[in-house]
Amino acid sequence: MNIKSLLVAGVAVAGLIAGSAFADVYMKGEDVAKLIVGKTIEGQYLSCGAGRNDFREYYDADGAIRGGERPCQQAGKWKHYTGKWAVKDGKFCIYLGSDRTSGCFDYQVDEKGTLRRFDAKGGDVNFKMFDGNPDHL
């Protein structure tokens, strides 16, 4: 076995080990629900781009989401929308209609209280959280 083959094998093994380690870093869907139900979250994409909106959403205990959005990092009037949330197969899921990001996602929260949603398509989002529904969504 040459040095290049050993290096490739080592990287593959390290990837498997890292994958196992990272599999447990996400919050359970039930824990995400406990964290955000009764609160408003405000989303900020890691990178602003065409078609992306800033948004804020209130998560009601009855499974309803009431939200507002506007073009990313621009001042202006918020357009309102509704949706639903649920916990399925251990993940926190949101359903906001065909023209908005919907599905079941992985979440983490850091020591500062910032919630982060991970999207397999690279649309990761950081959220600020606020108690209650201060924007009357």
Side-chain angles (χ1 to χ4, degrees), residues 3 11-12 14 28 33 38 40 48 53 61 65 73 84 106 108 117 133:
I3 197 83
V11 168
K28 294 179 183 175
T40 298
C48 221
N53 291 320
I65 299 171
Q73 295 182 350
K84 298 279 183 194
D106 291 315
Q108 289 177 334
R117 180 182 77 200
N133 189 3

Side-chain angles (χ1 to χ4, degrees), residues 14 22 25 31 39-40 48 55 66 73 106 108 113-114 132 135:
F22 287 113
V25 298
D31 293 332
K39 294 183 180 175
T40 298
C48 221
F55 59 94
R66 295 190 298 277
Q73 295 182 350
D106 291 315
Q108 289 177 334
T114 302
D135 300 310

Side-chain angles (χ1 to χ4, degrees), residues 4-5 15 22 31-32 44 50 90 112 115:
K4 189 174 183 179
S5 297
F22 287 113
D31 293 332
V32 176
Q44 298 171 329
K112 296 178 185 174
L115 183 67

